[in-house]
Amino acid sequence: MIVPSIKDDCLMVRDNVVLSHVPRNITVAPAADEAAFIGASSSNSSFRHVFSFGVLEYAGYKFMCLFRFKLWWMIQSFRDSGL
């Protein structure tokens, strides 16, 4: 099982840097084989937060993200680059 982790402000998978410049409020929790949940925390309460997760460095992995399409609905997107 591959366990993603954050080391030296970088999100690491299989000893490859996937994200660099990862802020300290970003967390990683393994979800399943070759999958992880990436989350963020904030010290203030708000109905709207915008977080930076870092800079995408390694484009050899595919990723899925969830983003809010409407206030009551989240939609998924599958990507292989940050563009």
Side-chain angles (χ1 to χ4, degrees):
M1 184 165 126
I2 299 164
V3 180
S5 62
I6 296 176
K7 295 179 187 169
D8 300 324
D9 297 328
C10 294
L11 175 67
M12 307 290 293
V13 176
R14 292 186 182 160
D15 295 326
N16 293 310
V17 176
V18 178
L19 295 172
S20 64
H21 301 91
V22 176
R24 301 240 181 242
N25 66 324
I26 303 302
T27 59
V28 176
D33 289 342
E34 301 187 21
F37 290 109
I38 301 175
S41 61
S42 176
S43 59
N44 59 338
S45 178
S46 174
F47 69 93
R48 182 176 185 265
H49 287 287
V50 176
F51 295 106
S52 171
F53 283 86
V55 178
L56 187 62
E57 295 289 334
Y58 185 74
Y61 290 102
K62 293 193 182 227
F63 63 92
M64 181 188 77
C65 63
L66 296 173
F67 63 94
R68 203 168 275 214
F69 182 65
K70 303 243 183 211
L71 287 178
W72 61 88
W73 188 261
M74 295 195 77
I75 191 167
Q76 60 191 4
S77 176
F78 296 92
R79 303 291 173 125
D80 59 7
S81 74
L83 302 175

